[in-house]
Amino acid sequence: MSRPRAVAVVTGSELVRGERHDRNGPFLMQQAVALGLRADRILVVGDDPEALERALREGATADVCLVSGGLGPTHDDRTVEFVARIAGRALVLDQDLEARIAAVSRGFAQRLGTPFADFAAGVTKQATIPEGAIVLGIAGTAPGLVVEARGCVFVVLPGPPGELQRLWPAAPATEALRAVLARVEKPSRRILRFFGTPESTVAQALAEAGGETDGVEVTICAHDFEIHLDIYSEAHGEGHAAALAAALRSALAPHLFTEEDRSIAEIVLGACRERGLTLATAESCTGGMVAARLTDLPGSSDVFLGGVVAYSDTVKRQALGVLPATLATHGAVSAETAAAMAEGARVRLGADVAVAVTGVAGPGGGSDAKPV
C-alpha cells in the first residue's frame, strides 16, 4: 500500500533497560492507523545523545515521526535540540510559552517551598523550541510541538502517557499534519478475533482463502491467548477483503468470538448490561487479575459487584463455601472446585453471574497430572 508512513520514536533509558514498559509507542501507532497512516515501526531508544539523534534521523525518513519523551528541563532532555537540527531550524525562545510554563512552575515552587529561581533555567530551556514550531499546549511543564522537517512532520509529545494522550488530539488539527492526511486514502478495516485455536491455524486458513493481494494487507497477532486478525483494504481490494473475511468466518466459526475492536472484558460487561445481569468473580491463581480487567473499564460498576481472591484452601472454604470434601476429592485445581468457587461468589456476593479461576499459574508448582 502507498499510504504515508508513520514512525514512532519513544525515548527513555528506563524503557531500554526493561524497568518500564512502553505505552506510548502502541498508543501513537494506533492513532496513526486510525488516521489512515501506515504504521511502519516503533523505535525505543535510551537517553544516549548519539543513539537518540540516530533514531530521530531514521524517523525523519517517514512522512510523520511521532516522538515521546526528552522534553524536560534538564541537560539530558535533548529531543527538541535534535529535532531542530534535523529540520534545519534555529532554536528560539517562545516568550508566550515561557510565561505559560513559568506559571505552572511557580505553582510547583510554592507547593515545595522553594524559590522560583531554582526553576527559571529549566523554564527557559523548555520554552526554547525550533523556529516555526507549532505549540500544541503544555502538560505539566512540557510542551507538545509540531515541526516540519524537510518532507517529514515531527509530532513531539511528553513522555508520561497521561500527558502525551492529553496533548495528542491537537496534533491532527494542525495544518502540517492535515497536509499529510490529505494524501491518505483511508483503508477499510475488518476485524476478526479468535480464541481456542493456535495462530498457525489462523494463518493456514488465511493462506487457503487467498491471503494478501494488491490493495489488501492482513495482520495476525497473538494477544492474551486471543488471535487478532485485521484486514485492511483499499478501494480496489474491497472484493477480495470481503471474500477473505467470509472464508475465515466460515472456516474458524467455533473460535470467532467478535468482529468488533473490543476487549473480552468490554464484551462481557456489555452482554451483562444488555441482559440486566450483575457479575462477580472468585479467583485463586490469578490473584484478582480478572476483576482488575473488568474494573479498568469506565462504567463497570453498574455490572460488576466485586470479587474474592481465595488463594488458599482456607479462604476457599471460609469465604466461598467450597466444601472440604470437594477439595479433598478433586483438589484445589479442578473443574469441581472452580464450579464451587463460582457458585460461592454468586451466592455470597448476590450476583446473577459469577466466574471463577483456579489453576497452577507457574512458573513452578506444576506436575504431570496438573501442569502449569
Side-chain angles (χ1 to χ4, degrees):
M1 293 184 178
S2 58
R3 303 197 308 276
R5 296 184 304 119
V7 168
V9 177
V10 182
T11 72
S13 292
E14 70 280 5
L15 301 172
V16 175
R17 291 192 296 261
E19 295 167 2
R20 293 176 58 192
H21 295 295
D22 170 33
R23 292 168 53 193
N24 291 338
F27 172 82
L28 290 170
M29 287 293 97
Q30 288 168 0
Q31 299 303 309
V33 169
L35 292 172
L37 300 172
R38 179 161 66 87
D40 196 23
R41 58 197 178 279
I42 299 173
L43 305 173
V44 180
V45 63
D47 297 323
D48 175 72
E50 292 184 4
L52 176 57
E53 184 171 0
R54 279 198 307 271
L56 290 169
R57 288 192 180 277
E58 184 176 346
T61 64
D63 300 280
V64 176
C65 182
L66 306 169
V67 187
S68 79
L71 305 183
T74 58
H75 72 283
D76 58 345
D77 291 306
R78 305 187 67 179
T79 295
V80 170
E81 172 192 342
F82 291 144
V83 168
R85 183 184 301 176
I86 293 165
R89 294 173 180 256
L91 286 167
V92 297
L93 178 64
D94 184 315
Q95 294 183 337
D96 290 339
L97 180 60
E98 184 180 36
R100 294 171 66 186
I101 297 173
V104 176
S105 296
R106 288 184 192 281
F108 288 157
Q110 186 175 16
R111 287 194 292 275
L112 294 172
T114 58
F116 173 72
D118 292 351
F119 292 83
V123 169
T124 299
K125 178 183 181 299
Q126 288 185 291
T128 302
I129 62 177
E131 188 174 15
I134 302 301
V135 178
L136 300 175
I138 61 173
T141 59
L145 305 171
V146 171
V147 183
E148 294 187 74
R150 300 168 179 170
C152 175
V153 175
F154 278 93
V155 179
V156 183
L157 297 164
E163 296 181 2
L164 178 144
Q165 292 176 26
R166 192 184 326 153
L167 293 181
W168 163 257
T174 61
E175 184 177 346
L177 204 50
R178 283 206 313 268
V180 176
L181 298 177
R183 302 177 358 230
V184 169
E185 181 182 331
K186 193 171 181 180
S188 65
R189 180 189 182 198
R190 290 171 172 82
I191 298 166
L192 295 98
R193 301 287 183 258
F194 302 99
F195 181 82
T197 187
E199 188 175 3
S200 58
T201 299
V202 176
Q204 182 179 346
L206 173 66
E208 291 172 352
E212 293 183 338
T213 189
D214 180 43
V216 177
E217 181 180 297
V218 183
T219 63
I220 303 175
C221 176
H223 179 74
D224 288 342
F225 303 102
E226 301 168 8
I227 307 299
H228 291 191
L229 186 143
D230 295 270
I231 304 171
Y232 296 92
S233 58
E234 296 180 355
H236 64 282
E238 274 292 291
H240 183 65
L244 276 184
L248 291 165
R249 199 178 289 123
S250 174
L252 301 171
H255 306 288
L256 178 65
F257 68 88
T258 187
E259 294 188 47
E260 297 179 288
D261 194 13
R262 294 196 298 161
S263 69
I264 196 67
E266 290 176 279
I267 293 169
V268 167
L269 288 171
C272 288
R273 194 173 286 119
E274 289 169 7
R275 294 161 175 78
L277 301 174
T278 54
L279 177 64
T281 58
E283 303 180 58
S284 182
C285 61
T286 47
M289 291 173 62
V290 176
R293 289 196 181 191
L294 293 165
T295 55
D296 271 348
L297 297 171
S300 59
S301 60
D302 65 347
V303 170
F304 186 68
L305 299 184
V308 175
V309 176
Y311 214 62
S312 72
D313 286 359
T314 299
V315 176
K316 290 180 178 69
R317 291 193 302 267
Q318 293 179 353
L320 295 172
V322 179
L323 296 175
T326 301
L327 293 165
T329 303
H330 302 287
V333 180
S334 64
E336 290 80 4
T337 294
M341 290 170 62
E343 179 62 12
R346 190 186 69 79
V347 171
R348 297 194 176 197
L349 297 180
D352 298 307
V353 180
V355 61
V357 182
T358 182
V360 183
S367 65
D368 291 340
K370 291 182 179 177
V372 170

